[in-house]
PDB file of all heavy atoms in Angstrom:
ATOM      1  N   ALA A 623     -10.990  47.131 -69.643  1.00 96.00           N
ATOM      2  CA  ALA A 623     -11.979  48.162 -69.324  1.00 96.00           C
ATOM      3  C   ALA A 623     -13.354  47.579 -69.028  1.00 96.00           C
ATOM      4  O   ALA A 623     -14.183  48.233 -68.391  1.00 96.00           O
ATOM      5  CB  ALA A 623     -12.082  49.160 -70.476  1.00 96.00           C
ATOM      6  N   ARG A 624     -13.614  46.329 -69.466  1.00 97.00           N
ATOM      7  CA  ARG A 624     -14.947  45.740 -69.256  1.00 97.00           C
ATOM      8  C   ARG A 624     -14.926  44.624 -68.210  1.00 97.00           C
ATOM      9  O   ARG A 624     -15.898  44.453 -67.471  1.00 97.00           O
ATOM     10  CB  ARG A 624     -15.490  45.179 -70.577  1.00 97.00           C
ATOM     11  CG  ARG A 624     -15.600  46.199 -71.698  1.00 97.00           C
ATOM     12  CD  ARG A 624     -16.426  47.427 -71.324  1.00 97.00           C
ATOM     13  NE  ARG A 624     -17.803  47.121 -70.998  1.00 97.00           N
ATOM     14  CZ  ARG A 624     -18.789  47.032 -71.872  1.00 97.00           C
ATOM     15  NH1 ARG A 624     -18.530  47.250 -73.169  1.00 97.00           N
ATOM     16  NH2 ARG A 624     -20.013  46.755 -71.495  1.00 97.00           N
ATOM     17  N   ALA A 625     -13.853  43.858 -68.145  1.00 97.00           N
ATOM     18  CA  ALA A 625     -13.810  42.724 -67.217  1.00 97.00           C
ATOM     19  C   ALA A 625     -13.226  43.074 -65.861  1.00 97.00           C
ATOM     20  O   ALA A 625     -13.595  42.473 -64.849  1.00 97.00           O
ATOM     21  CB  ALA A 625     -12.999  41.576 -67.839  1.00 97.00           C
ATOM     22  N   ALA A 626     -12.310  44.048 -65.798  1.00 98.00           N
ATOM     23  CA  ALA A 626     -11.619  44.356 -64.543  1.00 98.00           C
ATOM     24  C   ALA A 626     -11.996  45.719 -63.970  1.00 98.00           C
ATOM     25  O   ALA A 626     -12.246  45.852 -62.769  1.00 98.00           O
ATOM     26  CB  ALA A 626     -10.108  44.288 -64.762  1.00 98.00           C
ATOM     27  N   LEU A 627     -12.036  46.741 -64.805  1.00 98.00           N
ATOM     28  CA  LEU A 627     -12.295  48.109 -64.334  1.00 98.00           C
ATOM     29  C   LEU A 627     -13.586  48.241 -63.525  1.00 98.00           C
ATOM     30  O   LEU A 627     -13.599  48.939 -62.495  1.00 98.00           O
ATOM     31  CB  LEU A 627     -12.297  49.068 -65.524  1.00 98.00           C
ATOM     32  CG  LEU A 627     -12.545  50.544 -65.241  1.00 98.00           C
ATOM     33  CD1 LEU A 627     -11.775  51.420 -66.223  1.00 98.00           C
ATOM     34  CD2 LEU A 627     -14.042  50.900 -65.330  1.00 98.00           C
ATOM     35  N   PRO A 628     -14.712  47.619 -63.920  1.00 98.00           N
ATOM     36  CA  PRO A 628     -15.947  47.785 -63.137  1.00 98.00           C
ATOM     37  C   PRO A 628     -15.820  47.336 -61.683  1.00 98.00           C
ATOM     38  O   PRO A 628     -16.478  47.890 -60.801  1.00 98.00           O
ATOM     39  CB  PRO A 628     -16.958  46.931 -63.897  1.00 98.00           C
ATOM     40  CG  PRO A 628     -16.440  46.907 -65.310  1.00 98.00           C
ATOM     41  CD  PRO A 628     -14.959  46.863 -65.169  1.00 98.00           C
ATOM     42  N   ILE A 629     -14.989  46.336 -61.423  1.00 98.00           N
ATOM     43  CA  ILE A 629     -14.798  45.877 -60.040  1.00 98.00           C
ATOM     44  C   ILE A 629     -14.142  46.975 -59.222  1.00 98.00           C
ATOM     45  O   ILE A 629     -14.553  47.271 -58.096  1.00 98.00           O
ATOM     46  CB  ILE A 629     -13.963  44.580 -60.016  1.00 98.00           C
ATOM     47  CG1 ILE A 629     -14.744  43.452 -60.698  1.00 98.00           C
ATOM     48  CG2 ILE A 629     -13.583  44.199 -58.591  1.00 98.00           C
ATOM     49  CD1 ILE A 629     -13.973  42.153 -60.853  1.00 98.00           C
ATOM     50  N   TRP A 630     -13.120  47.616 -59.796  1.00 98.00           N
ATOM     51  CA  TRP A 630     -12.458  48.733 -59.112  1.00 98.00           C
ATOM     52  C   TRP A 630     -13.444  49.866 -58.871  1.00 98.00           C
ATOM     53  O   TRP A 630     -13.512  50.431 -57.763  1.00 98.00           O
ATOM     54  CB  TRP A 630     -11.275  49.227 -59.957  1.00 98.00           C
ATOM     55  CG  TRP A 630     -10.447  50.275 -59.288  1.00 98.00           C
ATOM     56  CD1 TRP A 630      -9.326  50.075 -58.528  1.00 98.00           C
ATOM     57  CD2 TRP A 630     -10.653  51.695 -59.321  1.00 98.00           C
ATOM     58  NE1 TRP A 630      -8.825  51.271 -58.085  1.00 98.00           N
ATOM     59  CE2 TRP A 630      -9.618  52.286 -58.548  1.00 98.00           C
ATOM     60  CE3 TRP A 630     -11.602  52.525 -59.918  1.00 98.00           C
ATOM     61  CZ2 TRP A 630      -9.523  53.663 -58.366  1.00 98.00           C
ATOM     62  CZ3 TRP A 630     -11.508  53.898 -59.722  1.00 98.00           C
ATOM     63  CH2 TRP A 630     -10.483  54.462 -58.967  1.00 98.00           C
ATOM     64  N   ALA A 631     -14.218  50.206 -59.889  1.00 98.00           N
ATOM     65  CA  ALA A 631     -15.147  51.337 -59.786  1.00 98.00           C
ATOM     66  C   ALA A 631     -16.218  51.077 -58.727  1.00 98.00           C
ATOM     67  O   ALA A 631     -16.516  51.950 -57.900  1.00 98.00           O
ATOM     68  CB  ALA A 631     -15.797  51.602 -61.142  1.00 98.00           C
ATOM     69  N   ASN A 632     -16.791  49.884 -58.716  1.00 98.00           N
ATOM     70  CA  ASN A 632     -17.836  49.583 -57.742  1.00 98.00           C
ATOM     71  C   ASN A 632     -17.279  49.495 -56.323  1.00 98.00           C
ATOM     72  O   ASN A 632     -17.947  49.889 -55.359  1.00 98.00           O
ATOM     73  CB  ASN A 632     -18.544  48.278 -58.116  1.00 98.00           C
ATOM     74  CG  ASN A 632     -19.464  48.452 -59.319  1.00 98.00           C
ATOM     75  OD1 ASN A 632     -20.111  49.476 -59.469  1.00 98.00           O
ATOM     76  ND2 ASN A 632     -19.500  47.460 -60.193  1.00 98.00           N
ATOM     77  N   PHE A 633     -16.071  48.976 -56.193  1.00 98.00           N
ATOM     78  CA  PHE A 633     -15.407  48.963 -54.882  1.00 98.00           C
ATOM     79  C   PHE A 633     -15.217  50.382 -54.368  1.00 98.00           C
ATOM     80  O   PHE A 633     -15.520  50.683 -53.204  1.00 98.00           O
ATOM     81  CB  PHE A 633     -14.061  48.244 -55.004  1.00 98.00           C
ATOM     82  CG  PHE A 633     -13.141  48.441 -53.821  1.00 98.00           C
ATOM     83  CD1 PHE A 633     -13.367  47.755 -52.634  1.00 98.00           C
ATOM     84  CD2 PHE A 633     -12.053  49.301 -53.899  1.00 98.00           C
ATOM     85  CE1 PHE A 633     -12.523  47.931 -51.542  1.00 98.00           C
ATOM     86  CE2 PHE A 633     -11.201  49.485 -52.823  1.00 98.00           C
ATOM     87  CZ  PHE A 633     -11.439  48.796 -51.636  1.00 98.00           C
ATOM     88  N   MET A 634     -14.728  51.274 -55.223  1.00 98.00           N
ATOM     89  CA  MET A 634     -14.484  52.650 -54.814  1.00 98.00           C
ATOM     90  C   MET A 634     -15.787  53.366 -54.461  1.00 98.00           C
ATOM     91  O   MET A 634     -15.846  54.147 -53.501  1.00 98.00           O
ATOM     92  CB  MET A 634     -13.753  53.407 -55.924  1.00 98.00           C
ATOM     93  CG  MET A 634     -12.303  52.998 -56.115  1.00 98.00           C
ATOM     94  SD  MET A 634     -11.280  53.265 -54.642  1.00 98.00           S
ATOM     95  CE  MET A 634     -11.429  55.041 -54.441  1.00 98.00           C
ATOM     96  N   LYS A 635     -16.840  53.109 -55.211  1.00 97.00           N
ATOM     97  CA  LYS A 635     -18.129  53.743 -54.910  1.00 97.00           C
ATOM     98  C   LYS A 635     -18.611  53.355 -53.516  1.00 97.00           C
ATOM     99  O   LYS A 635     -19.101  54.199 -52.748  1.00 97.00           O
ATOM    100  CB  LYS A 635     -19.172  53.342 -55.959  1.00 97.00           C
ATOM    101  CG  LYS A 635     -18.997  54.015 -57.307  1.00 97.00           C
ATOM    102  CD  LYS A 635     -20.082  53.618 -58.286  1.00 97.00           C
ATOM    103  CE  LYS A 635     -21.401  54.277 -57.968  1.00 97.00           C
ATOM    104  NZ  LYS A 635     -22.418  54.029 -59.014  1.00 97.00           N
ATOM    105  N   LYS A 636     -18.479  52.091 -53.179  1.00 97.00           N
ATOM    106  CA  LYS A 636     -18.917  51.623 -51.872  1.00 97.00           C
ATOM    107  C   LYS A 636     -18.060  52.222 -50.758  1.00 97.00           C
ATOM    108  O   LYS A 636     -18.580  52.610 -49.696  1.00 97.00           O
ATOM    109  CB  LYS A 636     -18.854  50.090 -51.822  1.00 97.00           C
ATOM    110  CG  LYS A 636     -19.865  49.389 -52.725  1.00 97.00           C
ATOM    111  CD  LYS A 636     -19.633  47.884 -52.757  1.00 97.00           C
ATOM    112  CE  LYS A 636     -20.555  47.185 -53.743  1.00 97.00           C
ATOM    113  NZ  LYS A 636     -21.942  47.139 -53.280  1.00 97.00           N
ATOM    114  N   CYS A 637     -16.752  52.308 -50.995  1.00 97.00           N
ATOM    115  CA  CYS A 637     -15.855  52.863 -49.976  1.00 97.00           C
ATOM    116  C   CYS A 637     -16.131  54.349 -49.750  1.00 97.00           C
ATOM    117  O   CYS A 637     -16.160  54.824 -48.603  1.00 97.00           O
ATOM    118  CB  CYS A 637     -14.396  52.665 -50.386  1.00 97.00           C
ATOM    119  SG  CYS A 637     -13.833  50.951 -50.302  1.00 97.00           S
ATOM    120  N   LEU A 638     -16.320  55.088 -50.823  1.00 96.00           N
ATOM    121  CA  LEU A 638     -16.568  56.525 -50.701  1.00 96.00           C
ATOM    122  C   LEU A 638     -17.916  56.808 -50.043  1.00 96.00           C
ATOM    123  O   LEU A 638     -18.089  57.837 -49.382  1.00 96.00           O
ATOM    124  CB  LEU A 638     -16.500  57.182 -52.083  1.00 96.00           C
ATOM    125  CG  LEU A 638     -15.107  57.246 -52.709  1.00 96.00           C
ATOM    126  CD1 LEU A 638     -15.194  57.561 -54.192  1.00 96.00           C
ATOM    127  CD2 LEU A 638     -14.238  58.284 -51.999  1.00 96.00           C
ATOM    128  N   ALA A 639     -18.864  55.896 -50.214  1.00 96.00           N
ATOM    129  CA  ALA A 639     -20.188  56.092 -49.616  1.00 96.00           C
ATOM    130  C   ALA A 639     -20.200  55.783 -48.121  1.00 96.00           C
ATOM    131  O   ALA A 639     -21.128  56.180 -47.417  1.00 96.00           O
ATOM    132  CB  ALA A 639     -21.213  55.220 -50.334  1.00 96.00           C
ATOM    133  N   ASP A 640     -19.168  55.092 -47.627  1.00 96.00           N
ATOM    134  CA  ASP A 640     -19.085  54.731 -46.208  1.00 96.00           C
ATOM    135  C   ASP A 640     -18.286  55.802 -45.469  1.00 96.00           C
ATOM    136  O   ASP A 640     -17.056  55.822 -45.511  1.00 96.00           O
ATOM    137  CB  ASP A 640     -18.413  53.368 -46.063  1.00 96.00           C
ATOM    138  CG  ASP A 640     -18.440  52.849 -44.626  1.00 96.00           C
ATOM    139  OD1 ASP A 640     -18.683  53.649 -43.701  1.00 96.00           O
ATOM    140  OD2 ASP A 640     -18.205  51.643 -44.433  1.00 96.00           O
ATOM    141  N   SER A 641     -18.973  56.686 -44.787  1.00 95.00           N
ATOM    142  CA  SER A 641     -18.310  57.804 -44.106  1.00 95.00           C
ATOM    143  C   SER A 641     -17.375  57.335 -42.999  1.00 95.00           C
ATOM    144  O   SER A 641     -16.431  58.043 -42.636  1.00 95.00           O
ATOM    145  CB  SER A 641     -19.357  58.759 -43.532  1.00 95.00           C
ATOM    146  OG  SER A 641     -20.209  58.076 -42.620  1.00 95.00           O
ATOM    147  N   SER A 642     -17.615  56.135 -42.458  1.00 96.00           N
ATOM    148  CA  SER A 642     -16.763  55.643 -41.370  1.00 96.00           C
ATOM    149  C   SER A 642     -15.343  55.343 -41.837  1.00 96.00           C
ATOM    150  O   SER A 642     -14.426  55.264 -41.026  1.00 96.00           O
ATOM    151  CB  SER A 642     -17.371  54.382 -40.751  1.00 96.00           C
ATOM    152  OG  SER A 642     -17.333  53.290 -41.660  1.00 96.00           O
ATOM    153  N   LEU A 643     -15.148  55.175 -43.138  1.00 96.00           N
ATOM    154  CA  LEU A 643     -13.803  54.905 -43.665  1.00 96.00           C
ATOM    155  C   LEU A 643     -12.960  56.171 -43.788  1.00 96.00           C
ATOM    156  O   LEU A 643     -11.734  56.095 -43.917  1.00 96.00           O
ATOM    157  CB  LEU A 643     -13.904  54.224 -45.036  1.00 96.00           C
ATOM    158  CG  LEU A 643     -14.368  52.773 -45.033  1.00 96.00           C
ATOM    159  CD1 LEU A 643     -14.589  52.273 -46.455  1.00 96.00           C
ATOM    160  CD2 LEU A 643     -13.358  51.890 -44.322  1.00 96.00           C
ATOM    161  N   GLY A 644     -13.603  57.325 -43.793  1.00 92.00           N
ATOM    162  CA  GLY A 644     -12.859  58.581 -43.874  1.00 92.00           C
ATOM    163  C   GLY A 644     -12.205  58.830 -45.211  1.00 92.00           C
ATOM    164  O   GLY A 644     -11.231  59.594 -45.301  1.00 92.00           O
ATOM    165  N   MET A 645     -12.716  58.200 -46.272  1.00 93.00           N
ATOM    166  CA  MET A 645     -12.162  58.438 -47.599  1.00 93.00           C
ATOM    167  C   MET A 645     -12.813  59.675 -48.203  1.00 93.00           C
ATOM    168  O   MET A 645     -14.017  59.881 -48.066  1.00 93.00           O
ATOM    169  CB  MET A 645     -12.369  57.228 -48.492  1.00 93.00           C
ATOM    170  CG  MET A 645     -11.547  56.031 -48.080  1.00 93.00           C
ATOM    171  SD  MET A 645     -11.694  54.640 -49.225  1.00 93.00           S
ATOM    172  CE  MET A 645     -10.954  55.322 -50.686  1.00 93.00           C
TER     173      MET A 645
END
Side-chain angles (χ1 to χ4, degrees):
R624 302 305 298 273
L627 180 147
I629 295 175
W630 186 93
N632 286 323
F633 166 76
M634 289 299 299
K635 286 182 74 173
K636 292 173 185 288
C637 289
L638 290 165
D640 187 343
S641 59
S642 68
L643 288 173
M645 291 185 65

